[in-house]
Amino acid sequence: MSDFRKSVVYQIYPKSFLDTNGDGLGELKGVTAKLDYLKELGVDYIWLTPFFVSPQNDNGYDVADYRSIDPRYGTMADFEELSREAGKRGIGLMLDMVFNHTSTEHEWFQKALAGDPKYKSYYIWKKGKPDGSPPTNWESKFGGSAWEYVPSFDEYYLHLFDKTQADLNWDNPDVRREVQEVLRFWMGKGVRGFRFDVVNLVSKGEFADDQQGDGRRFYTDGPRIHQYLREMNEATFGREEGILTVGEMSSTSMENCFQYAGADSRELSMVFSFHHLKVDFMGNEKWVLVPADFQRLKEILFSWQTGMAAHNAWNAVFWCNHDQPRVVSRFGDEGEYWKQSAKMLAGVIHCLRGTPYIYQGEEIGMTNAGFADLSQYRDVESLNHFRILRDKGMSEESVYNILKVHSRDNSRTPMQWDASENAGFTSGTPWIGVNPNCRTINAAAQVGDPDSIFSYYKALVRLRKDCSVIARGDFTPLDQSHPAVLAYKRSLPGEELICISNFYRKGCTWKCPEDLTGYAVRLSNYPDPQPGRETALRPYESMILLRRK
Ligand code: TEU
């Protein structure tokens, strides 16, 4: 568990994982009930998205009390039981720390609103422009202005996300001390890791109009960010052996990540970056329909692999999380080649240099939600953008077509445990619709089947433990310009691995630039792979080859 390079993390969105009390919402007890399933998969850590007290306007990313558990998710005793039971199975818990902002229901913000100067300076307040309009033209990530007016102060507060998520003022040392205390509190409860939500946005720079964009260049990877991370590290998790930390880095640069996740920089263990998941955007514009740019995907993945390695820095590697559509729907095939493409995509991530993250349901090939009516959507970002796109004059049908592809709700439908009506998730009414394909796509059908997607993930987790080359080897792209294949080599003295994947439903030929003598197939998504000097690859065919000397 301690070497994070050999570890695999499993992400749980508790609300959609397992409901044990019939209220339609998953809770911590549901996670405890499924620990044996996770043990079977072989993961080392569980990252739990926020379960703290929250009005749930952004499903818990609007925290009203960092030290208490929202009764909807259970009690502190439930948490302690989960921690104990996970520990028995060699699984560590990672918590999700949302420190860029608090809910406006947080006591600090309530005191600020009541005029207490100490707490007012915990947040970011500015006067409007002379004409009364917001201080800058920055846009909220969820649509609309990033500023909200408070008449009693004749000032605006900053909210980079929803207006009920007020940005904290990290330039105030009291704020930085408060968040450190929260970390110490959870470390005292035996937590083994932290995921830091949008942590590269906490150091704000100049407050000025952005003539080129939505404002992000003024607060992303801001002026004092490295100082703040190092300070947090030294005051809290850096004092204890083996606490895994990962920063969610929004629109970051690789140069900054060298430092955020550098082996010697004493900031964080690793970073999530998202550039590879914008290859089906138009620049930063997500609410469009454009085909994924495969060459760009390779370029980004490979440049981060080689760049981070050259600077001795570490990546978190992933396709899926609670903000992203399901990868099999996105870069694979939901139909005929569902199983092959889900396995192929898994192999690509799990053999990279970095710590792989599996998002609940990914390991059984769960697909996008397919919601075609506004009443089915729950996410604030989707609901806001429905309105924004309609206001721009787009037809309802076109808006639904975009939401079906990009909505965050795609990944938030309940975990599909079995073929029963609500997929074994709840005996009540689920808070968000269950995908009807749970009849065929579910964990019960896959756990015991050696040919299932679940078994493939399990084999990949095992492979990382068995082969040091995955955790420690060098990374070399192979034949990067091939129109359909993503291939790379990992190498250590005495151990080499080659991962070859066809990303398309059309067969193709791939000429290996390496001599394959001595390589054997370790894993493949077809029963009879035939690697050679010229390999004929079938739809979505993928093979992982290993050579040991
Ligand atoms: O997400 C940060 C973030 O900027 C994106 O993932 C964002 O949701 C998406 O790009 C918008 O198109 C984190 C959390 O993962 C997310 O669930 C929260 O809503 C957000 O921070 C605010 O806390």
Side-chain angles (χ1 to χ4, degrees):
M1 194 153 89
S2 60
D3 182 359
F4 59 75
R5 293 173 304 185
K6 284 217 156 200
S7 298
V8 177
V9 183
Y10 187 89
Q11 183 194 349
I12 292 183
Y13 200 68
K15 205 175 213 172
S16 298
F17 194 61
L18 180 67
D19 173 23
T20 57
N21 60 8
D23 65 358
L25 299 168
E27 63 277 307
L28 295 176
K29 270 189 186 305
V31 180
T32 309
K34 290 294 180 183
L35 284 169
D36 286 333
Y37 171 82
L38 301 174
K39 172 90 184 141
E40 174 73 20
L41 186 58
V43 299
D44 305 277
Y45 292 89
I46 302 173
W47 149 28
L48 297 157
T49 62
F51 49 73
F52 314 109
V53 169
S54 157
Q56 302 285 322
N57 292 330
D58 186 19
N59 282 326
Y61 283 91
D62 45 332
V63 180
D65 180 353
Y66 292 105
R67 290 180 179 79
S68 305
I69 292 170
D70 195 299
R72 280 172 272 220
Y73 291 110
T75 62
M76 194 56 87
D78 294 342
F79 176 80
E80 284 160 358
E81 187 194 17
L82 168 59
S83 174
R84 219 172 26 247
E85 290 299 317
K88 278 189 203 160
R89 292 164 178 81
I91 297 175
L93 296 186
M94 286 171 70
L95 299 199
D96 203 325
M97 294 291 143
V98 190
F99 289 150
N100 176 68
H101 41 265
T102 72
S103 162
T104 49
E105 288 186 18
H106 195 289
E107 188 188 6
W108 300 338
F109 193 81
Q110 288 300 312
K111 286 185 174 163
L113 272 188
D116 182 333
K118 174 176 160 71
Y119 290 100
K120 199 171 169 217
S121 67
Y122 274 31
Y123 296 91
I124 297 168
W125 301 88
K126 299 278 175 222
K127 287 280 177 213
K129 290 187 179 148
D131 68 356
S133 64
T136 69
N137 65 350
W138 300 359
E139 283 167 31
S140 150
K141 310 258 181 198
F142 293 160
S145 169
W147 297 96
E148 183 70 12
Y149 183 64
V150 176
S152 55
F153 298 147
D154 187 27
E155 282 176 333
Y156 289 80
Y157 67 85
L158 179 69
H159 62 89
L160 295 181
F161 293 88
D162 187 55
K163 66 169 188 280
T164 63
Q165 293 167 299
D167 278 53
L168 282 165
N169 172 19
W170 275 59
D171 292 336
N172 179 346
D174 288 339
V175 167
R176 306 204 301 275
R177 269 193 293 274
E178 295 269 16
V179 307
Q180 290 167 10
E181 276 171 33
V182 173
L183 292 175
R184 279 191 284 269
F185 173 83
W186 287 107
M187 283 167 61
K189 300 226 166 258
V191 160
R192 302 304 299 149
F194 296 106
R195 179 256 189 193
F196 293 102
D197 190 61
V198 290
V199 73
N200 67 324
L201 308 186
V202 302
S203 170
K204 272 70 175 176
E206 196 194 343
F207 290 87
D209 273 346
D210 189 351
Q211 307 304 348
Q212 300 158 27
D214 58 9
R216 70 183 72 192
R217 68 196 175 93
F218 289 105
Y219 54 74
T220 302
D221 301 323
R224 288 164 299 279
I225 184 65
H226 295 288
Q227 175 201 326
Y228 292 163
L229 288 179
R230 183 176 290 204
E231 183 186 275
M232 184 164 78
N233 173 319
E234 287 172 356
T236 60
F237 52 82
R239 296 183 173 200
E240 218 172 279
E241 250 328 283
I243 301 235
L244 188 157
T245 53
V246 55
E248 187 201 26
M249 302 304 177
S250 170
S251 300
T252 191
S253 74
M254 209 194 299
E255 290 65 38
N256 275 291
C257 290
F258 297 156
Q259 212 174 322
Y260 292 140
D264 306 316
S265 21
R266 283 181 293 142
E267 294 186 17
L268 301 170
S269 321
M270 64 189 86
V271 283
F272 289 119
S273 63
F274 295 90
H275 302 283
H276 67 298
L277 297 176
K278 294 186 179 177
V279 296
D280 52 2
F281 289 16
M282 213 184 274
N284 280 324
E285 184 50 42
K286 161 170 169 174
W287 305 101
V288 288
L289 286 181
V290 291
D293 183 339
F294 177 58
Q295 291 306 325
R296 182 99 190 99
L297 177 70
K298 285 197 277 185
E299 231 168 80
I300 295 168
L301 279 179
F302 291 174
S303 65
W304 278 77
Q305 285 286 297
T306 50
M308 292 289 274
H311 290 82
N312 200 11
W314 197 250
N315 283 308
V317 288
F318 69 105
W319 293 126
C320 299
N321 68 28
H322 63 292
D323 296 330
Q324 300 293 329
R326 293 287 182 178
V327 70
V328 69
S329 305
R330 190 177 196 177
F331 300 139
D333 177 32
E334 286 185 0
E336 193 182 351
Y337 298 107
W338 165 71
K339 194 193 270 190
Q340 289 84 348
S341 64
K343 290 180 180 179
M344 179 280 282
L345 290 161
V348 169
I349 285 296
H350 283 255
C351 295
L352 289 175
R353 178 182 176 278
T355 298
Y357 284 66
I358 303 170
Y359 175 65
Q360 67 183 46
E362 179 188 339
E363 76 283 11
I364 55 167
M366 277 178 62
T367 63
N368 280 349
F371 293 156
D373 190 89
L374 200 60
S375 65
Q376 295 174 292
Y377 285 94
R378 297 287 176 270
D379 179 25
V380 55
E381 185 196 46
S382 299
L383 299 173
N384 287 352
H385 280 91
F386 181 86
R387 197 176 20 81
I388 291 168
L389 296 174
R390 288 288 287 140
D391 287 351
K392 282 187 185 159
M394 204 181 270
S395 72
E396 252 189 36
E397 195 192 347
S398 306
V399 179
Y400 284 129
N401 287 338
I402 294 178
L403 286 180
K404 276 194 220 165
V405 169
H406 289 300
S407 169
R408 305 196 298 180
D409 282 335
N410 281 312
S411 56
R412 299 177 180 182
T413 61
M415 175 70 186
Q416 292 166 205
W417 293 109
D418 60 38
S420 66
E421 195 190 337
N422 285 321
F425 163 71
T426 182
S427 58
T429 307
W431 72 279
I432 187 170
V434 171
N435 194 318
N437 68 16
C438 68
R439 303 263 179 243
T440 49
I441 302 180
N442 64 68
Q446 292 195 30
V447 174
D449 170 7
D451 185 44
S452 67
I453 299 170
F454 179 89
S455 295
Y456 203 77
Y457 270 87
K458 193 174 145 182
L460 286 165
V461 174
R462 192 65 261 155
L463 193 65
R464 170 168 295 260
K465 315 272 180 220
D466 292 346
C467 304
S468 302
V469 68
I470 300 182
R472 300 216 318 275
D474 291 339
F475 176 92
T476 321
L478 297 179
D479 187 13
Q480 188 169 331
S481 59
H482 192 287
V485 174
L486 185 154
Y488 58 83
K489 178 177 175 182
R490 307 291 316 278
S491 41
L492 263 189
E495 196 175 54
E496 289 160 310
L497 178 147
I498 290 181
C499 177
I500 310 161
S501 305
N502 177 9
F503 262 70
Y504 290 88
R505 59 180 299 136
K506 208 168 146 253
C508 67
T509 310
W510 189 71
K511 271 193 199 149
C512 187
E514 295 279 314
D515 175 10
L516 290 182
T517 313
Y519 276 94
V521 179
R522 267 309 284 265
L523 272 176
S524 173
N525 57 355
Y526 279 79
D528 51 353
Q530 305 283 337
R533 188 105 200 89
E534 285 216 0
T535 309
L537 292 166
R538 288 163 283 189
Y540 298 102
E541 182 162 1
S542 171
M543 40 186 103
I544 297 166
L545 316 177
L546 190 72
R547 172 161 77 183
R548 281 182 168 140
K549 282 180 198 141

